[in-house]
Amino acid sequence: MQSTETPGMDVIQRNFFRILSSGAFNSQSNIEPMSPFKWRRLMQMVDAQQVIPVFVKGISKHSLDEGLRLPDSIIADIKARMNDNRTLSGKVPEKVKLSSRLLNHRLKGIIHNELHSIDTSIEALDILKLIVSNSQSMLTRGMDLDGIITLGQYLRTRGDKVDFVKLDAWLSSLMLHPMAELQGNILISVFGFDEDELPFVTKYDQKAYKLTLRSVSDLAKDTAQEWHFKQNSAGFVRNNGAVLRRNLRRSLRYVGYAPLETVSNFANNFVRSLSEIEE
């Protein structure tokens, strides 16, 4: 098992991942003391990743930690949000799609054929759907820890029922093997999974945790917004250059893992944004 205590993590990130690990996977660790400012920064990360239910469950497991010391304002903030987040998400998406027409056609075929197979593996399809959904989220809005956690929880509870031979063939057909390995490596490097829990991971990726830290921090600073194009009085299209560059930079992080899907996703988002031009 790879250690999750890496020099690249600061105290905010360490506490963030420790609390999520406790809430999602019942891991044991101690919370380090932080100032109110750092707790607010941590809450920004929780908000951006949409993991309030897991976070609340993790906080409850650390209620006796000496280092917890939550400021009253943060406690009130958490209680207020609990009303809208009473249950853990942890659901497999019913429908998934890929941006590439070619790959999406293959995906539809895989799902249809497997559902009509004499030896249907629902669990393998569920894992495939989670990997596809996570890949789309990562390309569209940045790192999706809620989806990564759901993948890990599914593997922990039903992984023994997954037909990984089928899954491997599907991932190869969809050119998603590297993205699946990236997601598995996040579970290993950030959440302390053992490699033997992830049969679709063939090698340890040292870049996975650095990519996760950077993505989580970036998303907290500027949660993904849709591109906005506006027409000026002369009829020319103007765009938010900073937002465009940010989205391009985010997409390029994953181009080595899924070249065709990354380019297709970026192009589709670009075209969709153009269609939303405000007169």
Side-chain angles (χ1 to χ4, degrees), residues 134-247:
N134 288 344
S135 299
Q136 286 295 292
S137 293
M138 291 163 78
L139 294 175
T140 303
R141 64 181 295 272
M143 187 64 65
D144 181 12
L145 286 184
D146 182 57
I148 298 294
I149 287 171
T150 300
L151 175 63
Q153 291 174 326
Y154 194 102
L155 288 167
R156 283 270 172 94
T157 56
R158 305 184 69 180
D160 59 328
K161 296 179 175 62
V162 176
D163 186 331
F164 286 102
V165 175
K166 285 186 175 183
L167 179 64
D168 185 74
W170 298 338
L171 291 174
S172 295
S173 176
L174 298 173
M175 302 181 186
L176 285 180
H177 229 301
M179 284 296 281
E181 292 216 35
L182 172 60
Q183 293 171 41
N185 271 291
I186 293 171
L187 288 171
I188 292 170
S189 61
V190 177
F191 292 108
F193 272 56
D194 291 316
E195 292 183 34
D196 59 10
E197 295 182 85
L198 305 155
F200 54 85
V201 176
T202 59
K203 59 183 178 180
Y204 180 64
D205 184 356
Q206 294 183 342
K207 296 183 295 184
Y209 94 89
K210 292 181 180 179
L211 179 60
T212 304
L213 298 188
R214 185 166 67 249
S215 298
V216 168
S217 294
D218 287 351
L219 187 57
K221 292 175 184 175
D222 190 1
T223 52
Q225 300 175 355
E226 292 295 326
W227 298 330
H228 294 289
F229 293 82
K230 295 185 178 180
Q231 249 181 332
N232 61 22
S233 57
F236 294 103
V237 175
R238 297 180 300 175
N239 70 77
N240 185 328
V243 174
L244 181 59
R245 287 192 297 273
R246 186 198 68 212
N247 283 278

Side-chain angles (χ1 to χ4, degrees), residues 35-269:
S35 66
F37 171 82
K38 290 183 177 180
W39 274 111
R40 286 193 294 272
R41 175 64 178 147
L42 187 147
M43 290 304 299
Q44 290 177 340
M45 296 166 67
V46 171
D47 273 344
Q49 290 297 324
Q50 301 176 8
V51 288
I52 281 285
V54 177
F55 176 76
V56 170
K57 186 176 180 181
I59 282 289
S60 67
K61 291 179 179 294
H62 288 278
S63 58
L64 299 179
D65 280 18
E66 183 178 349
L68 191 56
R69 302 176 189 171
L70 283 172
D72 291 340
S73 60
I74 298 296
I75 294 175
D77 193 18
I78 292 174
K79 288 181 177 179
R81 299 169 205 230
M82 285 175 63
N83 294 329
D84 299 322
N85 298 274
R86 294 187 179 279
T87 59
L88 296 178
S89 51
K91 294 181 179 179
V92 177
E94 293 184 8
K95 296 181 179 180
V96 293
K97 65 179 296 184
L98 290 167
S99 298
S100 162
R101 290 186 179 182
L102 170 64
L103 298 183
N104 194 53
H105 178 73
R106 291 182 184 177
L107 175 62
K108 289 180 178 179
I110 287 170
I111 294 174
H112 178 272
N113 292 338
E114 186 61 19
L115 289 176
H116 293 83
S117 172
I118 59 174
D119 60 340
T120 301
S121 175
I122 295 299
E123 290 79 12
L125 277 180
D126 283 347
I127 293 296
L128 178 66
K129 289 179 179 179
L130 285 169
I131 290 172
V132 170
S133 177
N134 288 344
S135 299
Q136 286 295 292
S137 293
M138 291 163 78
L139 294 175
T140 303
R141 64 181 295 272
M143 187 64 65
D144 181 12
L145 286 184
D146 182 57
I148 298 294
I149 287 171
T150 300
L151 175 63
Q153 291 174 326
Y154 194 102
L155 288 167
R156 283 270 172 94
T157 56
R158 305 184 69 180
D160 59 328
K161 296 179 175 62
V162 176
D163 186 331
F164 286 102
V165 175
K166 285 186 175 183
L167 179 64
D168 185 74
W170 298 338
L171 291 174
S172 295
S173 176
L174 298 173
M175 302 181 186
L176 285 180
H177 229 301
M179 284 296 281
E181 292 216 35
L182 172 60
Q183 293 171 41
N185 271 291
I186 293 171
L187 288 171
I188 292 170
S189 61
V190 177
F191 292 108
F193 272 56
D194 291 316
E195 292 183 34
D196 59 10
E197 295 182 85
L198 305 155
F200 54 85
V201 176
T202 59
K203 59 183 178 180
Y204 180 64
D205 184 356
Q206 294 183 342
K207 296 183 295 184
Y209 94 89
K210 292 181 180 179
L211 179 60
T212 304
L213 298 188
R214 185 166 67 249
S215 298
V216 168
S217 294
D218 287 351
L219 187 57
K221 292 175 184 175
D222 190 1
T223 52
Q225 300 175 355
E226 292 295 326
W227 298 330
H228 294 289
F229 293 82
K230 295 185 178 180
Q231 249 181 332
N232 61 22
S233 57
F236 294 103
V237 175
R238 297 180 300 175
N239 70 77
N240 185 328
V243 174
L244 181 59
R245 287 192 297 273
R246 186 198 68 212
N247 283 278
L248 177 59
R249 183 171 62 250
R250 181 178 60 222
S251 296
L252 290 176
R253 289 175 181 170
Y254 304 102
V255 71
Y257 294 96
L260 178 57
E261 184 60 17
T262 299
V263 173
S264 298
N265 182 277
F266 183 84
N268 287 354
N269 286 340

